[in-house]
Amino acid sequence: MAELRVVPSGDNPPEDLDPNTRFSNLLRQSSWGDESAFAQLYDAVAPRLYGLVLRVVRDPAQSEEVTQEAFLEIWKTSTRFDPALGSALGWMMTITHRKAVDRVRSAEAAGRRDNSYHEANQDVDYDTTAEAVTASLEAERVRRALQTLTPAQRSAVELAFFGGYTHTEVASMLGLPLGTAKTRIRDGLIRLRDTLGMNT
């Protein structure tokens, strides 16, 4: 490997240097706190790093954010770069790729959390009469009162009251028109209310 030609801070690396040596020099100068050198490095490699991120993240706006995060880490950790272990561009691309993968994993984890929360907190549509029965009666008393209903009413009420199914779902499960299912549920719950002595 050719000897690394480090250019003093504040000076521009000669244009005749190969890209790897030039990037290595700019990284070394950045590690000394040379903002001008880091700006040159940014201009030289930003398109390549952004392209790498875009291939992983796929969203242009997020890719810009991730690229900025990668450059921030490159600036902060530039003292760790060792040209004996690999090229400057390879080192920067490794940091950038890790940032991109982290963003994708974070987005996937957030999506799973949102889905789990939505599923756990999804409201079930109940008829207002069913809500009144649920709020006012113990389940065992309701089960006993169910025996006073007709078989058709009981099937519909059990699905809606104990199963937590919506009117549309009850209608589908029993093979009934929606209006018929609603009527059976409503009439059954009204009969339950009367049997159990609830006030309207």
Side-chain angles (χ1 to χ4, degrees):
M1 178 182 293
E3 183 179 351
L4 182 64
R5 295 166 57 191
V6 178
V7 179
S9 178
D11 296 334
N12 293 331
E15 294 296 333
D16 63 343
L17 291 179
D18 68 89
N20 181 53
T21 302
R22 180 176 172 80
F23 297 158
S24 295
N25 283 332
L26 289 172
L27 268 175
R28 180 68 57 86
Q29 290 172 222
S30 298
S31 72
W32 297 336
D34 188 334
E35 295 181 7
S36 175
F38 188 73
Q40 293 178 56
L41 185 65
Y42 182 98
D43 290 341
V45 302
R48 255 188 271 197
L49 298 192
Y50 173 77
L52 171 63
V53 175
L54 186 60
R55 285 194 296 274
V56 176
V57 176
R58 300 191 178 277
D59 178 81
Q62 287 196 48
S63 296
E64 289 179 7
E65 292 178 8
V66 172
T67 303
Q68 294 303 317
E69 292 171 5
F71 271 111
L72 180 60
E73 183 165 339
I74 290 168
W75 168 258
K76 289 179 177 179
T77 62
S78 54
T79 55
R80 300 179 192 170
F81 170 66
D82 184 351
L85 299 178
S87 72
L89 183 60
W91 182 77
M92 290 184 286
M93 291 186 77
T94 297
I95 289 175
T96 304
H97 184 263
R98 186 173 64 246
K99 289 286 185 184
V101 170
D102 287 347
R103 174 62 66 94
V104 171
R105 287 176 178 166
S106 176
E108 289 175 348
R112 286 193 296 269
R113 286 194 300 271
D114 289 345
N115 288 338
S116 296
Y117 178 84
H118 176 72
E119 290 170 4
N121 294 277
Q122 189 172 11
D123 292 332
V124 178
D125 295 330
Y126 286 100
D127 182 82
T128 54
T129 309
E131 290 177 344
V133 172
T134 303
S136 304
L137 300 173
E138 295 177 347
E140 186 56 39
R141 292 181 64 213
V142 175
R143 287 191 183 95
R144 285 196 301 266
L146 280 169
Q147 301 308 312
T148 67
L149 304 181
T150 67
Q153 290 173 339
R154 184 164 57 249
S155 296
V157 170
E158 284 177 341
L159 287 171
F161 184 78
F162 294 109
Y165 294 102
T166 64
H167 290 166
T168 302
E169 291 168 332
V170 171
S172 176
M173 294 171 77
L174 295 178
L176 300 171
L178 179 58
T180 302
K182 286 184 176 180
T183 298
R184 288 186 183 179
I185 293 168
R186 183 182 64 248
D187 291 350
L189 290 172
I190 289 172
R191 187 166 180 176
L192 280 178
R193 180 193 63 198
D194 293 341
T195 300
L196 293 161
M198 295 178 60
N199 293 325
T200 56

